[in-house]
Amino acid sequence: MSAGASLTPGAPSLALRRRRHALPGLGVSLGLTLAWLGLIVLIPLAALAIKPWELGPSGLLEVLSEPRVLASLRLSFGAALLAALVSVPLGLLLAWTVTRYRFPGRRLLDALVDLPFALPTAVAGLALTALFAPNGWLGAPLAAAFGWQVAFKPAGVVVALVFVALPFVVRSVEPVLRDLPLDAEEAAATLGATRLQTIRRVVLPALLPATITGFGLGFARAVGEYGSVIFIAGNMPMVSEIAPLLIVVKLEQFNYAAAAGIGLAMLLLSFAILLALNLWQRRLRRGRA
């Protein structure tokens, strides 16, 4: 009897069972992936969920109902949602320009879209503050012409969050726009549709799922942004103080349970918003299918 033959009639050999695996080493790789996922994601999230309860339900509710905490949460989520909404039309316009047109400097513009990914957030915050300060290159003309003050106000928070959220919309829409066939647009043009009607009824519905993805990514990035905001915001409690900064303040006061409670509130609110966006996107894809 050969070494590779089975001793039990009808039972597959060990070598044959090994060859049936589609992905060699799946068990080892899956185990390492789950271990790293637990160490990096699950264990910190579990600690974040457990730590606030040291205060008790009443203590946690008291922390989250403080006017300063509510104001910071309102500013962080409101500014992040507004920044993501502003990034959608700007991102669509940038993606359309880079994808559909050929002009000098197009590659440079395409590379500048990724600048917020590579630029340290503190450097971005300093640059935005210098631009939009009352005596800055953009802040001074806005103050003189319209009386607007961007830096050290909630408007400065929105500007900084648009800066970090915009690339996510562009990079989510751009691949879909590149792969979008021109046949439907040409057919709409031959049927007498204007360019605006073609974009509104043909192009935008096809880009809607990718646009929702970019909106969700931009919102998730913006709601927890810290470095690029603290310089331009002014950090005035009840006015321009974001929730991540308030968490740092609580940590500096050694109030770890309160800091974890604010972080848990941000986590749950962000998860609820992203879950709603995910369900909406899935419904749109099923409708298209």
Side-chain angles (χ1 to χ4, degrees), residues 108-119 167-168 170-171 174:
L108 177 61
L109 178 62
D110 191 25
L112 288 176
V113 172
D114 296 328
L115 184 62
F117 292 143
L119 192 66
F168 290 95
V170 178
R171 293 312 181 204
E174 186 179 353

Side-chain angles (χ1 to χ4, degrees), residues 165-190:
L166 181 60
F168 290 95
V169 179
V170 178
R171 293 312 181 204
S172 298
V173 172
E174 186 179 353
V176 181
L177 193 57
R178 290 185 185 277
D179 296 336
L180 192 66
L182 299 177
D183 299 343
E185 298 178 42
E186 295 172 354
T190 57

Side-chain angles (χ1 to χ4, degrees), residues 13-22 24:
S13 64
L14 180 60
L16 182 59
R17 287 200 301 269
R18 287 178 178 176
R19 285 197 299 268
R20 286 178 179 175
H21 289 293

